[in-house]
Amino acid sequence: MNAIKKLFNIEYPIIQGGMVWCSGWRLASAVSNSGGLGLIGAGSMYPEVLREHIQKCKLATDRPFGVNVPLLYPDIEQIMNIIVEEKVNIVFSSAGNPALWTPFLKENNISVVHVIANKKFAQKAEQCGVDAIVAEGFEAGGHNGREETTTLCLVPEICDAVSIPVIAAGGIGSGRAMLAAFALGAQGVQIGSLFAASSESSAHANFKNAIIEAQEGDTKLSLKSLVPVRLLKNDFYSQVAKAEAEGANRQELMDLLGKGRAKKGMFNGDLVEGELEIGQIASAIHEVKPASQILNELWTEFLLEKDRLSNLKF
């Protein structure tokens, strides 16, 4: 049996990324009800808001779901305690040292997956006792690896470097791409951008429309001297690009970024001054669809392509 399906007790080895301002309880429960693994994105939630989303998700689905937790979150202790109190049994951690919280989570019988972008951190995460790893290439939206390693290069390298299951992420928006990830050695895929543009996503309609209207080259990796993040081009991105070209220092870029910039763009729908985090695959997304339809189309195409390749003759 597929290792990721077995680990999470899910029908399809497809995980919905825990994206800030996009992945609340509605999206997570819709994905889980459709056979994948839905994740609530804690990165944009105050602790008690997260608790509310977990409780609503439990009412909306009787299937497994998890929480994505950026480990650099300022209220991390409260977040982790809420996860334990609410009996969530799957956590995807990111943006921080997995050694800090993996033992605590494992002691509470929680499966832990850590998101990485290079071999060093993959091996470190495995040593910390995580159950699986998300290998995220730089095609992905949102915060990204400094190495700028593509999914095609990263996934097989990580699969060779660790003995635990690897979930591929970054640029995966079709059944064909999912099959390619399996060919590289992955046991599952994590998909963000497709679900950011889903009906159940908590993103603003303006942001969803911007995603489906995006063209090739409309996303760029930005703010590399802070924490690299892939953004959809807009006036805010242009301000950042200009500042970086003129040699702005770290503090100047932090001042330009300010606070609440991602919420302004993705949740409130300000397409001019907001931070619009999305992956390169946005140019291939042309319609806002229900999560169930997205899951069904991914799996159907995956199986068709798998059969096609198995019948190839050389």
Side-chain angles (χ1 to χ4, degrees):
M1 184 178 181
N2 172 270
I4 293 303
K5 288 174 60 176
K6 183 177 180 180
L7 177 62
F8 301 131
N9 190 27
I10 55 178
E11 187 176 352
Y12 308 121
I14 299 171
I15 291 91
Q16 162 248 313
M19 304 162 287
V20 294
W21 303 115
C22 296
S23 44
W25 69 270
R26 287 184 179 85
L27 178 56
S29 61
V31 171
S32 290
N33 282 332
S34 301
L37 180 69
L39 297 180
I40 296 171
S44 54
M45 297 179 183
Y46 292 115
E48 288 307 315
V49 173
L50 174 62
R51 189 190 297 277
E52 178 184 349
H53 277 260
I54 292 171
Q55 291 175 348
K56 288 183 176 178
C57 199
K58 287 192 287 189
L59 292 174
T61 184
D62 58 1
R63 299 191 181 189
F65 70 92
V67 175
N68 173 267
V69 183
L71 296 175
L72 297 178
Y73 194 94
D75 297 314
I76 187 67
E77 187 170 349
Q78 286 180 265
I79 290 290
M80 292 301 190
N81 286 331
I82 286 171
I83 286 170
V84 171
E85 290 164 9
E86 294 295 333
K87 295 181 169 53
V88 176
N89 55 20
I90 300 169
V91 165
F92 277 55
S93 57
S94 60
N97 183 358
L100 297 176
W101 285 100
T102 297
F104 170 81
L105 294 170
K106 298 296 290 181
E107 287 167 8
N108 285 280
N109 300 312
I110 295 172
S111 297
V112 182
V113 182
H114 192 65
V115 182
I116 56 86
N118 61 45
K119 183 168 68 175
K120 174 185 175 183
F121 288 121
Q123 292 172 329
K124 181 175 182 180
E126 182 176 28
Q127 291 165 7
C128 293
V130 303
D131 297 284
I133 285 169
V134 175
E136 185 177 72
F138 101 123
E139 299 95 323
H143 294 294
N144 223 302
R146 295 187 182 279
E147 298 82 7
E148 300 187 21
T149 307
T150 65
T151 304
L152 186 68
C153 295
L154 180 67
V155 172
E157 182 174 14
I158 301 305
C159 289
D160 289 344
V162 300
S163 60
I164 55 178
V166 173
I167 299 163
I172 301 171
S174 66
R176 286 177 293 172
M178 180 177 168
L179 183 62
F182 274 75
L184 297 174
Q187 293 283 313
V189 294
Q190 178 175 283
I191 293 175
S193 297
L194 269 181
F195 289 116
S198 70
S199 304
E200 296 89 350
S201 164
S202 50
H204 195 283
N206 290 351
F207 181 44
K208 294 181 188 181
N209 289 334
I211 295 170
I212 64 177
E213 291 171 3
Q215 303 296 313
E216 291 178 77
D218 280 354
T219 70
K220 291 290 183 182
L221 203 61
S222 187
L223 293 167
K224 295 179 188 179
S225 61
L226 294 178
V227 179
V229 59
R230 181 170 295 281
L231 301 177
L232 193 61
K233 290 179 180 177
N234 65 349
D235 282 10
F236 168 66
Y237 163 78
S238 297
Q239 293 172 44
V240 171
K242 182 174 183 292
E244 290 180 322
E246 294 174 352
N249 60 36
R250 182 180 178 86
Q251 185 58 53
E252 288 170 334
L253 290 174
M254 288 178 66
D255 291 342
L256 178 58
L257 178 61
K259 291 183 178 180
R261 183 78 71 167
K263 181 180 181 181
K264 178 183 286 189
M266 300 163 72
F267 193 71
N268 294 335
D270 186 337
L271 302 184
V272 178
E273 290 291 335
E275 184 179 21
L276 308 175
E277 303 179 10
I278 202 69
Q280 281 186 329
I281 198 65
S283 62
I285 302 171
H286 306 301
E287 185 181 352
V288 174
K289 300 176 182 179
S292 60
Q293 183 178 343
I294 292 171
L295 261 293
N296 182 63
E297 290 177 353
L298 282 168
W299 190 246
T300 299
E301 186 179 61
F302 172 81
L303 294 178
L304 287 172
E305 290 299 311
K306 179 172 171 288
D307 289 342
R308 182 183 68 82
L309 287 182
S310 67
N311 291 323
L312 281 180
K313 291 180 172 58
F314 294 94

